[in-house]
Amino acid sequence: MKTYGDLSPSLRTIMTPGPVEVDPRVLRAMSYPILGQFDPEFTGLMNQTMEMLRSLFVTDNQWAFPVDGTSRSGIEAVLTSLIEPGDTVFVPVYGRFGYLLMEIAERCGAEVSFIEKEWGSVFDPEEVIRHLRQHRPKIAAMVHGETSTGCMQPLKEIGEACRELDILLVVDAVATIGGTPVETDEWKLDAVMGGTQKCLSVPSGLAPITYNDRVEAKVLRRKRIERGLRDPKLAAAPSREPAGLVIRSNYFDLAQLQDYWSPARLNHHTEATSMLYALREGLRILLEEGLEARFARHRQCEQALTAGIQAMGLPLYGNPACKLPVVTCIPVPDGVDGESVRSMLLEDFGIEIASSFGPLKGKIWRIGTMGFSARKKNVLHVLGALEAVLIRHGVSVARGEGVQAALDVYRNGKEASYA
Amino acid sequence: MKTYGDLSPSLRTIMTPGPVEVDPRVLRAMSYPILGQFDPEFTGLMNQTMEMLRSLFVTDNQWAFPVDGTSRSGIEAVLTSLIEPGDTVFVPVYGRFGYLLMEIAERCGAEVSFIEKEWGSVFDPEEVIRHLRQHRPKIAAMVHGETSTGCMQPLKEIGEACRELDILLVVDAVATIGGTPVETDEWKLDAVMGGTQKCLSVPSGLAPITYNDRVEAKVLRRKRIERGLRDPKLAAAPSREPAGLVIRSNYFDLAQLQDYWSPARLNHHTEATSMLYALREGLRILLEEGLEARFARHRQCEQALTAGIQAMGLPLYGNPACKLPVVTCIPVPDGVDGESVRSMLLEDFGIEIASSFGPLKGKIWRIGTMGFSARKKNVLHVLGALEAVLIRHGVSVARGEGVQAALDVYRNGKEASYA
């Protein structure tokens, strides 16, 4: 019989836009023996996690819980629970993950309309609002931070317009949550979907979401209790249909998920115990650090990184006015094989940075400064290593300047200029 | 600001039908620092996990990988990728999880037909086959082991009939995989869906599945590449539609999932790193023990438990001829509050056993002997504690006999009789 070796993954410096390094406290949390899903100790931990998620999302919403799946499971849970076939959904697209919102909405049976911005920039909110006023979709779906292009879309004006027009605004904040402000209530976002493996620095596998009573009202119109949990005499009878069309997914049915997360604890799935431990610990770490301090740390690491990149003599990709503060994109210099640079970084320096997708595939590198990976040690390490690897690839760089510029930022709190 | 205490869950003896206790080696695996998802070391671990899953499912299928979600995510991924709206799906139901298959199939837009067996028994395969011949559904979906009733359905004859009739047979083996034989190829099962938190003794959060080329062919007819990953010039153009109807879910689209698990590594989600470490370690432990030895251990624990229960003077629930070897159901004695017994077991003895659903809610207790929880220590502990708790609840039991009978099974290899 073939045998398989002991697990012993190499220690990496992970500077991609996710997954990023995990705080050892979170890793430790996952190593605790598990509790049963209806053990009062466990449901207590679930409730604490909901409370902490409300702080993370800066919301008074009742509903804030993780969907058991990777980030896009949260996106699909919200969209599939909201969209009835034929509903109009509008998606302003400025990168790959905008396409994903379209893709999911289409598969839900929506009539999807979209506008598109050249990758590397974002929308003037007025442009989006004009379209909203004109076409009055039922739902608008937007990405807050596009990791594919390193851009971030301002949402406050769009949120206000949607509320006024009675459009539900659904926001993918997978890249931004925990790294830069996401103000659910203040910006009037109806549903926000996050991820764990980016600025929260928890391994991939849960998708924290929150939604308000406007979303809940639509979801409850579509609610149907699972056959196996109904009154036994009715279980095998034809389903009593809800007012709205039944949600097309059982797994992603928010009406069932919120029953599971409510005091009723109506059985749906078996909560992913160890991942819940990890998320709870990640949120504890985040709240102990404090949202403001955490965002400041992310900004400082970004400033050090961008100062270093530019001091080295490399430009930054994208419009600096809308730069996503947790991802920095760098055009691959002409004549350089971007993948070869990435491989050498990984193999010789144990550092992982990312490439990109679609029109940017092979054209830019993407460096994340997210969560536990957003540390001075890591930023200095990646700048030093990138310089060494670029020299080996024949790129002319200002030797030694990158690390010095980053050190200056950390020493002096000097602001980096993107110009 | 409210503060939250250090995680320190109590140590429980978990004797439910899942989630069950996790081997410390698996807990340790989750505490390792993570790798990036496209790090060659990580994709190597993914490939090893696929190989080991093929051994678990006893199949030569190319496709055997986990879906990132709890057990029912695997079920929904297979059903939603297979079922085109209007497809005929037949579900023989003998417990709660049969209803779940119906529920999911209905939400996929299937024309669902079903037959039902009184809870506590299973189908004579001929009964199912008669229906299959008469109605010729496109897909048949069945539960292998019903944890809600503690019954197990023989599948070999049904598998052969489905193949002959060109019906796709999809099997929920969440409760049985890793605890009792599941012969994917030998029984001609087209798709099998498992779970991690039962006999594999890995925390909930991944759903290992396998499917053959008959399933793949249908899935590929419905394949559509995600917009954000298409040729950039085509990305925003109207979708090129596949031959079949586009799969209604992005997250559960097996065509995309298998691309992600293939050497192409086409980006879909971000694999749940720590859960993958856990699954890999759980599978290593399983293969080191050996499937046959593992099944024998499960049988022995079941025999010890059932001998003990009966020696105590309690009957067993359900038809012994179709008993699920990893779950034992016991009718709650008349006049006893089943929930009070469960609470006392948890609070005083740190032992968790389960109640049931629907028509059996409050009527039976369910005790699992699954995976790492299927240990002599646990079986003896639960029998001794149950006796003590029942005495406190005024139930007349044969004092001391339960543990002795179980010890006899372990000492003598004596077979328990269910009669």
Side-chain angles (χ1 to χ4, degrees):
Chain A
M1 192 189 78
K2 183 166 172 184
T3 59
Y4 297 88
D6 253 332
L7 185 69
S8 58
S10 295
L11 294 181
R12 303 294 200 204
T13 298
I14 310 183
M15 300 301 280
T16 65
V20 304
E21 295 174 41
V22 177
D23 191 305
R25 275 180 54 183
V26 172
L27 297 174
R28 185 182 62 180
M30 283 188 291
S31 73
Y32 279 95
I34 74 162
L35 291 163
Q37 66 171 329
F38 296 122
D39 191 317
E41 273 193 36
F42 187 68
T43 54
L45 295 172
M46 289 171 72
N47 289 342
Q48 290 179 356
T49 304
M50 289 181 76
E51 282 178 15
M52 290 192 272
L53 284 175
R54 287 184 201 109
S55 301
L56 171 69
F57 284 116
V58 200
T59 184
D60 293 326
N61 287 344
Q62 178 180 6
W63 300 117
F65 55 79
V67 176
D68 284 18
T70 65
S71 304
R72 63 173 70 187
S73 76
I75 298 173
E76 188 158 321
V78 168
L79 290 178
T80 205
S81 293
L82 272 183
I83 298 172
E84 294 182 73
D87 276 353
T88 47
V89 176
F90 171 57
V91 186
V93 176
Y94 61 101
R96 176 192 170 188
F97 292 98
Y99 286 136
L100 178 62
L101 293 174
M102 287 180 65
E103 177 84 22
I104 296 173
E106 280 174 0
R107 292 188 186 220
C108 293
E111 295 292 332
V112 179
S113 64
F114 71 106
I115 52 177
E116 204 175 0
K117 204 77 191 171
E118 197 185 0
W119 288 30
S121 55
V122 300
F123 294 93
D124 179 336
E126 273 311 317
E127 200 178 340
V128 174
I129 293 167
R130 223 168 24 241
H131 185 104
L132 292 170
R133 283 194 197 286
Q134 203 174 340
H135 298 282
R136 300 287 182 116
K138 282 197 180 176
I139 296 160
M142 287 203 80
V143 174
H144 185 215
E146 260 291 354
T147 50
S148 63
T149 65
C151 292
M152 184 164 72
Q153 173 68 48
L155 291 172
K156 191 173 185 330
E157 294 89 337
I158 297 170
E160 282 164 358
C162 282
R163 191 63 54 95
E164 185 203 310
L165 296 165
D166 199 25
I167 294 163
L168 291 172
L169 178 57
V170 167
V171 171
D172 166 355
V174 170
T176 48
I177 197 78
T180 183
V182 177
E183 297 277 348
T184 304
D185 292 359
E186 172 74 15
W187 298 349
K188 299 194 165 47
L189 314 180
D190 293 296
V192 181
M193 298 82 78
T196 49
Q197 82 284 8
K198 297 182 189 278
C199 299
L200 294 184
S201 273
V202 168
S204 173
L206 290 180
I209 61 171
T210 188
Y211 53 91
N212 61 19
D213 48 8
R214 285 158 45 93
V215 169
E216 186 183 11
K218 176 136 191 198
V219 167
L220 290 182
R221 285 186 62 248
R222 308 180 68 190
K223 178 175 181 169
R224 190 174 77 179
I225 292 175
E226 208 174 290
R227 280 174 184 275
L229 295 176
R230 278 183 233 152
D231 183 307
K233 292 178 208 81
L234 300 175
S239 317
R240 208 172 10 171
E241 294 304 313
L245 293 170
V246 173
I247 293 165
R248 281 178 168 187
S249 168
N250 171 284
Y251 194 76
F252 290 136
D253 180 344
L254 290 183
Q256 290 190 75
L257 286 169
Q258 73 180 40
D259 275 346
Y260 181 74
W261 283 87
S262 79
R265 300 283 167 210
L266 205 60
N267 198 10
H268 178 254
H269 58 285
T270 298
E271 185 57 18
T273 321
S274 304
M275 285 302 304
L276 194 277
Y277 288 178
L279 176 58
R280 178 183 177 278
E281 190 68 10
L283 292 169
R284 269 183 85 215
I285 292 169
L286 175 137
L287 295 179
E288 285 168 14
E289 181 174 14
L291 283 173
E292 282 316 313
R294 192 177 180 93
F295 299 153
R297 169 167 63 82
H298 280 84
R299 278 196 304 273
Q300 188 182 45
C301 282
E302 181 211 24
Q303 286 162 8
L305 178 67
T306 53
I309 296 293
Q310 292 175 109
M312 215 183 282
L314 298 176
L316 301 178
Y317 168 82
N319 179 353
C322 61
K323 184 177 178 302
L324 176 60
V326 295
V327 180
T328 297
C329 300
I330 307 160
V332 175
D334 283 343
V336 173
D337 176 354
E339 288 309 288
S340 168
V341 168
R342 292 208 314 125
S343 294
M344 187 173 163
L345 277 171
L346 188 69
E347 284 159 24
D348 289 309
F349 295 86
I351 296 175
E352 191 185 10
I353 68 169
S355 57
S356 194
F357 313 97
L360 293 175
K361 197 174 150 89
K363 302 271 177 57
I364 60 170
W365 294 303
R366 298 179 303 143
I367 301 181
T369 41
M370 292 178 155
F372 187 64
S373 284
R375 308 201 301 287
K376 183 163 86 170
K377 170 181 184 296
N378 280 15
V379 170
L380 297 177
H381 190 33
V382 75
L383 284 168
L386 184 61
E387 176 187 313
V389 172
L390 289 176
I391 290 171
R392 282 274 164 172
H393 281 77
V395 180
S396 157
V397 294
R399 296 184 179 210
E401 295 299 328
V403 172
Q404 292 301 323
L407 275 172
D408 285 343
V409 171
Y410 285 113
R411 294 275 152 78
N412 312 327
K414 196 177 102 181
E415 293 278 320
S417 140
Y418 308 128
Chain B
M1 192 190 79
K2 183 167 173 183
T3 59
Y4 296 87
D6 253 333
L7 185 69
S8 57
S10 296
L11 294 180
R12 304 295 200 200
T13 299
I14 310 184
M15 300 301 280
T16 66
V20 304
E21 294 173 41
V22 177
D23 191 303
R25 274 179 56 183
V26 172
L27 296 174
R28 186 181 62 180
M30 284 189 290
S31 73
Y32 279 96
I34 74 162
L35 291 163
Q37 66 171 328
F38 296 121
D39 190 317
E41 273 193 35
F42 187 68
T43 53
L45 296 172
M46 289 171 72
N47 289 342
Q48 289 179 357
T49 304
M50 290 181 76
E51 282 178 16
M52 289 193 272
L53 284 175
R54 287 185 201 107
S55 301
L56 171 69
F57 285 115
V58 199
T59 183
D60 293 327
N61 287 344
Q62 178 179 6
W63 300 117
F65 55 79
V67 176
D68 284 18
T70 65
S71 304
R72 62 174 70 187
S73 75
I75 298 172
E76 189 158 321
V78 169
L79 289 179
T80 206
S81 293
L82 272 183
I83 297 172
E84 293 182 74
D87 275 354
T88 47
V89 175
F90 171 56
V91 187
V93 175
Y94 61 101
R96 175 189 171 188
F97 292 99
Y99 286 136
L100 178 62
L101 293 173
M102 286 179 64
E103 177 84 20
I104 296 173
E106 280 175 359
R107 292 188 185 219
C108 293
E111 295 292 329
V112 179
S113 63
F114 71 106
I115 51 176
E116 205 175 0
K117 204 75 188 172
E118 197 187 359
W119 289 29
S121 55
V122 300
F123 293 93
D124 178 338
E126 273 311 316
E127 199 179 339
V128 173
I129 294 166
R130 224 168 22 243
H131 185 103
L132 292 170
R133 284 195 197 286
Q134 202 174 339
H135 298 281
R136 299 286 183 118
K138 283 199 179 174
I139 296 160
M142 285 202 81
V143 174
H144 185 214
E146 260 290 353
T147 50
S148 64
T149 64
C151 292
M152 185 164 71
Q153 173 68 49
L155 291 171
K156 190 173 187 326
E157 295 90 337
I158 297 170
E160 282 163 356
C162 282
R163 191 63 54 95
E164 186 202 311
L165 296 165
D166 198 25
I167 295 164
L168 290 172
L169 177 57
V170 167
V171 170
D172 166 357
V174 170
T176 48
I177 196 80
T180 184
V182 176
E183 296 277 348
T184 303
D185 291 359
E186 171 74 16
W187 297 348
K188 299 193 164 49
L189 314 180
D190 294 296
V192 181
M193 299 81 78
T196 49
Q197 81 284 7
K198 297 181 189 278
C199 299
L200 292 184
S201 273
V202 168
S204 174
L206 290 179
I209 61 171
T210 187
Y211 53 92
N212 61 19
D213 49 8
R214 285 157 46 93
V215 169
E216 186 184 11
K218 176 137 190 197
V219 166
L220 290 181
R221 285 187 60 248
R222 308 180 67 190
K223 178 175 181 169
R224 190 174 78 182
I225 292 176
E226 209 174 289
R227 279 175 185 274
L229 295 175
R230 278 183 232 151
D231 183 308
K233 292 180 209 81
L234 300 175
S239 318
R240 207 173 10 173
E241 294 304 312
L245 293 170
V246 173
I247 293 166
R248 283 178 167 187
S249 168
N250 172 283
Y251 194 76
F252 291 136
D253 180 344
L254 291 184
Q256 291 190 74
L257 286 170
Q258 73 179 40
D259 275 347
Y260 181 74
W261 283 87
S262 79
R265 300 283 167 210
L266 205 60
N267 197 10
H268 178 253
H269 58 285
T270 298
E271 185 57 17
T273 321
S274 303
M275 286 302 304
L276 194 277
Y277 287 178
L279 176 59
R280 178 183 178 278
E281 190 68 11
L283 292 169
R284 268 183 87 213
I285 292 169
L286 176 138
L287 295 179
E288 285 168 13
E289 182 175 13
L291 283 173
E292 282 316 313
R294 191 176 180 93
F295 299 153
R297 170 168 62 84
H298 280 83
R299 277 196 305 274
Q300 188 182 46
C301 283
E302 180 210 23
Q303 287 162 9
L305 178 68
T306 53
I309 296 292
Q310 291 175 107
M312 212 183 286
L314 298 175
L316 300 178
Y317 169 82
N319 180 353
C322 60
K323 184 177 177 302
L324 177 60
V326 295
V327 179
T328 296
C329 300
I330 307 160
V332 176
D334 283 344
V336 173
D337 175 355
E339 287 310 287
S340 167
V341 168
R342 291 209 314 125
S343 294
M344 187 173 164
L345 276 171
L346 188 69
E347 284 159 25
D348 289 309
F349 297 86
I351 296 174
E352 192 185 11
I353 69 169
S355 56
S356 193
F357 313 98
L360 292 175
K361 196 173 152 87
K363 302 269 176 61
I364 61 169
W365 293 304
R366 299 179 303 142
I367 301 180
T369 40
M370 291 177 155
F372 187 64
S373 284
R375 309 201 302 286
K376 182 163 87 172
K377 171 181 183 296
N378 280 14
V379 170
L380 297 177
H381 189 33
V382 75
L383 284 168
L386 183 61
E387 176 187 312
V389 172
L390 289 176
I391 290 172
R392 281 274 165 171
H393 280 76
V395 180
S396 159
V397 293
R399 298 186 179 208
E401 295 300 325
V403 173
Q404 293 302 321
L407 276 172
D408 285 344
V409 170
Y410 285 113
R411 294 275 152 77
N412 311 327
K414 196 177 100 180
E415 294 278 321
S417 139
Y418 307 130

